[in-house]
Amino acid sequence: MSAQAQEINPLYDRKPVRFGFSLMGNTAKMKYSLKDNNLNMDTLKLIESVFYPGFGLGGVVNFRIAENIDLRSGLNIQFARRDMNYQFTNNVKKVAEIEATYMEIPLTFEYKSVRHKNVRVYALAGFTYRFDFTSDAETDRSDTKPIVALYPNTLSYDVGVGLDIYYEFFKFSPEIKLSNGLGNQLVPDEFVYASSLKRVSPKMIQFSLIFQ
């Protein structure tokens, strides 16, 4: 029996356009840098970023560019949370909760290996535009109200790997990728929570189950 005869739906990847959906889980955290003199303030002792799990779902559209190269895009809704903890010298701890509800538009190139029976691996790289519907950019802030506000529009670069598994009527692809925000997303203000930070950008590790 030939190798092709053992393959399920061997012409699947020759379709010029394919549609599907994805289920996502994520772990989100902040990349940040401190101002040079921030810990010399009278009361501030320590700042740390805390990660939390999140989830999302979305639609997928896939374009065949070449034999082993695809371009994938879509529209996602994703929920994420990452907090900033502030420890003061009087043992007071304040938490700036940073929750996000993202609309995402990813644009990703995939480079695929040669298909082995009903499995192939791929590497991916690209960019994702995100808009946060719950940004605190316009929220009132004060010293007693711990808020670290981020601008709602974010562009990130993405890298990752995945696995295509072929079935009779669809293709299933578990995938993991790292998504790092570009630029400084911090909304500056004069209060200690934001003024002690020099630069802030979101960071996310995302695991997806993609059905096409």
Side-chain angles (χ1 to χ4, degrees):
M1 183 179 292
S2 68
Q4 183 167 339
Q6 301 176 43
E7 291 182 356
I8 298 173
N9 204 351
L11 300 180
Y12 179 88
D13 284 327
R14 295 196 175 274
K15 297 176 183 178
V17 182
R18 301 188 301 274
F19 298 93
F21 67 93
S22 62
L23 305 175
M24 295 166 282
N26 68 65
T27 298
K29 198 173 181 180
M30 286 298 180
K31 293 191 304 177
Y32 66 95
S33 59
L34 307 176
K35 289 185 177 177
D36 293 338
N37 64 343
N38 79 299
L39 296 181
N40 291 327
M41 293 182 178
D42 292 339
T43 59
L44 185 58
K45 181 180 179 182
L46 176 68
I47 303 172
E48 61 181 355
S49 176
V50 181
F51 65 87
Y52 289 89
F55 66 96
L57 54 89
V60 173
V61 57
N62 196 96
F63 302 94
R64 184 175 186 265
I65 304 300
E67 182 67 27
N68 294 94
I69 300 174
D70 285 357
L71 174 64
R72 192 172 75 208
S73 187
L75 183 65
N76 305 330
I77 295 294
Q78 192 153 198
F79 304 91
R81 177 179 171 183
R82 32 172 76 115
D83 292 352
M84 300 290 289
N85 289 346
Y86 291 77
Q87 183 72 47
F88 295 87
T89 54
N90 56 1
N91 290 324
V92 172
K93 182 179 178 181
K94 296 286 187 178
V95 180
E97 297 181 358
I98 309 174
E99 297 181 341
T101 301
Y102 288 122
M103 179 195 71
E104 302 178 335
I105 303 175
L107 190 64
T108 304
F109 286 94
E110 300 175 5
Y111 181 76
K112 299 174 179 289
S113 71
V114 174
R115 178 172 169 173
H116 178 68
K117 295 185 180 179
N118 296 310
V119 176
R120 75 195 307 178
V121 298
Y122 63 87
L124 65 91
F127 297 92
T128 297
Y129 165 76
R130 292 184 173 91
F131 180 83
D132 181 8
F133 291 105
T134 57
S135 168
D136 283 323
E138 303 299 327
T139 303
D140 291 335
R141 300 185 277 282
S142 70
D143 281 327
T144 59
K145 200 175 190 180
I147 290 177
V148 176
L150 305 182
Y151 291 111
N153 294 286
T154 304
L155 184 67
S156 68
Y157 71 87
D158 306 331
V159 292
V161 294
L163 182 69
D164 287 338
I165 306 172
Y166 295 82
Y167 294 92
E168 185 173 358
F169 299 109
F170 67 93
K171 181 173 71 173
F172 170 60
S173 305
E175 174 185 292
I176 188 168
K177 71 177 181 181
L178 173 65
S179 186
N180 273 331
L182 297 170
N184 185 9
Q185 296 302 117
L186 179 67
V187 178
D189 62 51
E190 69 273 24
F191 303 108
V192 63
Y193 308 103
S195 64
S196 56
L197 299 169
K198 181 179 180 181
R199 176 188 174 92
V200 176
S201 60
K203 177 179 181 179
M204 182 183 294
I205 298 175
Q206 177 179 307
F207 178 73
S208 301
L209 301 176
I210 302 168
F211 300 83
Q212 296 182 62

